[in-house]
Amino acid sequence: MSDKNVFVVGLDELNRKRLEHLRGAENYRFHGVIEPSEVYDTEIFPIEDMLSRAETQLNEFHDSIDAIVGYMDFPVSTMLPLLCERFGTRSTSLESLLKCEHKYWSRCVQREVIGDYIPRFTAFDPFDSEALHKIGEEGLYFPFFVKPIKSSGSRLGFRIESPEDFEQAISRLCEDIGTISEPFNFVLDHAKLPDDVRAIDGGHCMAEEIIGGWQCTVEGYVFQGEVIPYGVVDSIRYPQVLSFFYYRYPSRLPDHIQEKMRELTRQVMKHIGYDNAAFNIEYFWDEVQDRIWLLEINTRIAQSHCDLFEKVDGVSHQQITVDLALGQLPDMPYRKGDFKVAAKFFYRVFFVDATMSRVPTEEEIDALEQAFPGTVITLQAEIGTRLSSLPEQDSYSFALAYIWMGADDDTSLEENYARLAEQLHFEFEEIIG
């Protein structure tokens, strides 16, 4: 059997190592497309140029192109259907992908089949001086949440408690939204959109009713029309703030709540027409009202969860993405890993801004990874880094390190992280509290 050539947009060394552990990887050759720094460490996305360069690289390849995959949110996720169509590899359609990623279109489609499980919402133009008044006319009152029609991570998302909050959020949105709206509009121009959706382009924003509760992510895929949810990961936030503290797998949600989320997932993804690709859906369970809310749909596996599945189930769920792209039913093991529970922790500081004057050394990181077997630590900043320059941060804190850990139970997991975190030594100057 000849080797399969799998092209990975933004392939970095961490993901190459994960991919090499997949089942069947001895028969795959992995090739990078587009430098990882262009999709990981930047908030500038010249998507037209990136697509052109990717096409040139692929056209110059003198062997079979068997699959094109990626694990990142925008712009990678939206590039994939365009590249796959041009080179005849497997992917869901651009329109079905946009029914997930265009937040207004996605809510409209969700409302058609699971309307009781989504918040009230409306789209608005942040450059419209009457925007707040129009939001009120749609029945949305303080507090509510605003975010761009297309965002990346938690960037440019704001909880609005007052007109002053709205004014501050609009100032930031108007200043920064173009970095995503322009490349996203390029993608929209390649799709067949309903007229009411085309009128709400990437320069618009969403206002939504506040929802909350126990947050989790249902990871799933669709293979030849069959929707398969295969894992639920809890998202735990720091107390009293919106910033994530850690992701935990497997979920501790009640079984009947997890099953209802899987049922909703099958309903909405089948209605969207998504096929032959991975996805994940973020949900809330409001325990007080015993109500489930769908937060958003992502058209990829959660890269943050790769190590969690490897630790608990035995292989990264990149297995899903590669198998689907090759036209194969995913060969994902279950509970074959070295740990019963795993988490990705976010080591954060809650400054307005600061400059890094010290980060843990390679020797210190190696020592901690040895002291806590199975642990992986990746730093997100270096000496001299201005925190405000870090990409993909939320609006309230800065993540300085990601730490993946496994354990036999939740208590040991949290205690081990607390011990490790005490030994991560960062120092700052020019702190703005």
Side-chain angles (χ1 to χ4, degrees), residues 105-115 118 268 294 297:
W105 195 8
S106 188
R107 284 300 193 207
C108 291
V109 173
Q110 293 164 30
R111 185 169 56 191
E112 292 169 2
V113 286
I114 57 167
I118 64 172
V268 74
L294 190 155
I297 305 172

Side-chain angles (χ1 to χ4, degrees), residues 70-121:
Y71 309 105
M72 289 292 293
D73 196 356
F74 190 80
V76 174
S77 56
T78 44
M79 290 171 62
L80 288 173
L82 297 173
L83 284 174
C84 289
E85 183 180 26
R86 293 172 192 181
F87 289 92
T89 60
R90 296 166 188 83
S91 170
T92 195
S93 69
L94 178 60
E95 285 73 21
S96 67
L97 179 138
L98 290 172
K99 286 180 185 178
C100 305
E101 292 211 6
H102 186 297
K103 294 187 187 300
Y104 177 72
W105 195 8
S106 188
R107 284 300 193 207
C108 291
V109 173
Q110 293 164 30
R111 185 169 56 191
E112 292 169 2
V113 286
I114 57 167
D116 290 340
Y117 299 91
I118 64 172
R120 288 176 295 164
F121 66 94

Side-chain angles (χ1 to χ4, degrees), residues 45 66 73 75 87 111 151 162 169 192 204 216 279 282 315 341:
F45 306 118
D66 300 294
D73 196 356
F87 289 92
R111 185 169 56 191
S151 188
S162 66
K192 298 174 183 177
H204 285 72
C216 69
F279 67 88
E282 297 174 53
V315 69
V341 61

Side-chain angles (χ1 to χ4, degrees), residues 368 371-372 412-424:
L368 285 170
F372 298 91
S412 299
L413 186 68
E414 293 173 9
E415 289 177 349
N416 288 346
Y417 172 71
R419 287 166 51 211
L420 182 149
E422 288 177 352
Q423 301 174 66
L424 278 178

Side-chain angles (χ1 to χ4, degrees), residues 209-221:
E209 177 186 4
I210 296 290
I211 56 176
W214 185 330
Q215 188 171 353
C216 69
T217 301
V218 175
E219 294 279 358
Y221 65 87

Side-chain angles (χ1 to χ4, degrees), residues 184-205:
F184 189 55
N185 284 342
F186 172 81
V187 174
L188 294 180
D189 287 342
H190 287 75
K192 298 174 183 177
L193 305 176
D195 290 343
D196 59 332
V197 173
R198 186 166 294 282
I200 308 296
D201 68 6
H204 285 72
C205 294

